[in-house]
Amino acid sequence: MAAPYRRPQRNPVSRTTSYEQPGVCRRRAVSRLLKVHDRRGEGAVDPVTKSFGEFPAWWEANKARFGNKKIAMFCTGGIRCEKSTNFLIGEGVEDVFHLKGGILKYLEEVPAEESRWEGECFVFDGRVSVGHGLEEGTYDLCHACRRPISDEDKTQPAYEEGVCCPRCVDEYDEDDRVRFRERQKQIKLAKARGKIHIGTP
Ligand SMILES: [Zn+2]
């Protein structure tokens, strides 16, 4: 089980200079780190933790990799990276700061011409993904597996609208697909009648 979150021993208030406003960030190390897609794989380290509670154990196992490096933390909404930054300060990490308000604030405030963000940021609402100015992005959700799908995914042979996408093609069997196809048909009919289809798979 993951270790519970411990409060930083030092006074966190005096160390909240680790905050960075989005506008300041673009002139600092975060501007390099932000040059990633939402897979957050290029240049950024993804701890792949499901919740903040798992972060202390991840840090314990990985801290040797970071030595005296400058650490910039960022996440979608700015809450998780603030917690993890406080945690690292409590662990004695000197040079750590985070993106205040998260990626969403950055996308909202930093104009596209100046932004170092590439791609879209996934959000867990009807917009699926957003870009600069928090404009709704180009991703849709696969109605079978609920994963985001890009326009390119839709050109793959494994894609069938409302039924499967390249990522879940092996996760469902033909019985499932019969159900998904039927549901998709109902959604189309409901749309044609101008109603919104609310239902579970
Ligand atoms: Zn899918």
Side-chain angles (χ1 to χ4, degrees):
M1 210 175 97
Y5 173 60
R6 280 178 284 132
R7 279 220 149 272
Q9 280 102 38
R10 294 188 225 169
N11 179 0
V13 178
S14 67
R15 292 297 302 260
T16 48
T17 48
S18 62
Y19 276 146
E20 290 293 347
Q21 300 291 342
V24 177
C25 265
R26 63 181 183 250
R27 294 190 295 274
R28 307 252 326 232
V30 165
S31 69
R32 267 187 296 127
L33 285 174
L34 273 178
K35 210 166 173 298
V36 294
H37 296 268
D38 205 28
R39 281 184 286 279
R40 301 177 197 191
E42 293 166 47
V45 179
D46 184 353
V48 212
T49 45
K50 286 194 197 71
S51 68
F52 175 73
E54 295 176 13
F55 183 73
W58 181 88
W59 174 253
E60 200 49 45
N62 289 276
K63 61 184 177 187
R65 292 161 65 191
F66 297 97
N68 294 321
K69 290 192 181 113
K70 181 190 280 272
I71 298 177
M73 312 279 297
F74 61 96
C75 67
T76 304
I79 306 288
R80 281 167 302 150
C81 64
E82 177 168 356
K83 279 180 164 182
S84 349
T85 298
N86 273 340
F87 170 78
L88 292 184
I89 290 168
E91 291 291 294
V93 177
E94 292 290 331
D95 213 357
V96 53
F97 57 95
H98 77 276
L99 183 56
K100 189 173 188 177
I103 295 163
L104 292 179
K105 200 78 193 155
Y106 186 89
L107 289 175
E108 187 185 335
E109 292 190 355
V110 179
E113 324 68 91
E114 295 169 35
S115 174
R116 304 299 302 263
W117 179 262
E118 291 177 4
E120 294 170 18
C121 177
F122 296 137
V123 289
F124 297 94
D125 61 31
R127 295 172 300 177
V128 183
S129 66
V130 292
H132 293 107
L134 301 185
E135 294 285 333
E136 184 165 335
T138 59
Y139 283 79
D140 279 324
L141 273 192
C142 168
H143 288 263
C145 68
R146 315 300 298 171
R147 293 189 186 98
I149 34 176
S150 66
D151 288 342
E152 207 209 312
D153 292 332
K154 292 180 196 167
T155 67
Q156 304 296 313
Y159 174 72
E160 185 181 336
E161 188 187 0
V163 179
C164 72
C165 74
R167 250 146 294 174
C168 70
V169 63
D170 297 323
E171 294 174 6
Y172 296 101
D173 60 21
E174 210 34 52
D175 286 351
D176 294 323
R177 288 201 237 286
V178 168
R179 273 191 302 124
F180 296 155
R181 254 177 225 122
E182 180 56 30
R183 184 184 54 186
Q184 186 62 16
K185 208 171 86 189
Q186 296 304 327
I187 291 172
K188 285 226 159 109
L189 287 172
K191 256 191 196 152
R193 290 194 302 263
K195 288 182 192 156
I196 296 165
H197 178 88
I198 301 167
T200 46

